[in-house]
């Protein structure tokens, strides 16, 4: 019984982390992107769409979450329309439908997940220290493959011995 609860809790944590990391896309004739896709009450949400025409007036409706209407304005980023709204501090946890409409008649929706805490607040602030070798493709310090390391050392030893032999012959005047 305890193992089942642990597995269920882990599965729910992974699912909510996936929802927080991925933008929400709507259905219909176009799509909208909500960033972040999961927020705490009081947070600001950015809405982005490339589904409207350049001369369309674009409006959004976040009334389901209690934020009301908002305007989207043209952006320099790939012709997208971008708008923002704030999730009210009184919003309850759950999934809410956000609607965007173009003046040409296109209607798009996306789901916003409201959680009890912000995903950024719940992440521990720990410093990460790098480990291992640098994978640059042009060699590097002792990598994880000892065969490649030995081959590189052998090639350098042969080159050093050959260079020393040539310099020695030149110093003796053997005609090189």
């Amino acid at each position: 019984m305890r193992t089942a609860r642990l597995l269920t809790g882990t599965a729910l944590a992974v699912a909510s982390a996936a929802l927080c990391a991925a933008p929400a896309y709507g259905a219909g004739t176009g799509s909208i992107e909500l960033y972040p896709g999961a927020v705490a009450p009081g947070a600001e949400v950015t809405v982005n769409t490339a589904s409207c025409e350049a001369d369309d007036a674009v409006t959004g409706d976040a009334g389901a979450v209690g934020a009301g209407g908002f305007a989207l304005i043209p952006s320099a980023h790939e012709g997208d329309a971008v708008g923002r709204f704030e999730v009210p501090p009184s919003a309850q946890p759950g999934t809410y439908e956000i609607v965007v409409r173009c003046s040409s008649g296109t209607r798009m929706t996306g789901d916003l997940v409201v959680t009890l805490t912000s995903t950024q607040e719940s992440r521990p602030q720990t410093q990460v220290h790098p480990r291992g070798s640098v994978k640059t493709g042009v060699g590097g310090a002792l990598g994880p493959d000892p065969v490649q390391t030995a081959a590189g050392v052998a090639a350098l030893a042969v080159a050093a011995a050959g260079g020393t032999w040539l310099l020695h012959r030149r110093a003796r005047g053997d005609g090189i």
Side-chain angles (χ1 to χ4, degrees):
M1 184 73 163
R2 187 174 188 170
T3 304
R5 285 185 192 161
L6 180 62
L7 291 175
T8 303
T10 303
L12 288 174
V14 169
S16 61
L19 281 174
C20 294
Y25 290 97
T29 58
S31 65
I32 64 172
E33 179 180 335
L34 301 173
Y35 183 78
V39 296
E44 185 176 77
V45 177
T46 301
V47 182
N48 186 19
T49 184
S51 299
C52 296
E53 300 295 324
D55 56 345
D56 275 349
V58 187
T59 58
D61 180 15
V65 73
F70 61 96
L72 286 86
I73 58 172
S75 167
H77 177 68
E78 300 178 5
D80 293 357
V82 178
R84 291 183 178 81
F85 67 90
E86 184 176 321
V87 176
S90 61
Q92 296 299 311
T95 302
Y96 298 91
E97 182 180 67
I98 307 302
V99 180
V100 172
R101 289 184 180 89
C102 308
S103 60
S104 61
T106 305
R107 180 182 185 273
M108 300 147 289
T109 62
D111 289 335
L112 176 68
V113 177
V114 176
T115 61
L116 290 177
T117 60
S118 170
T119 57
Q120 293 176 348
E121 291 174 4
S122 63
R123 291 184 188 149
Q125 300 295 323
T126 59
Q127 187 173 8
V128 178
H129 299 286
R131 295 182 312 170
S133 61
V134 178
K135 307 272 191 254
T136 61
V138 200
L142 299 174
D145 188 5
V147 174
Q148 288 181 349
T149 303
V153 169
L156 286 174
V158 168
T164 303
W165 178 72
L166 285 174
L167 288 174
H168 180 68
R169 285 192 61 184
R170 176 180 275 175
R172 284 192 320 179
D174 288 344
I176 294 181

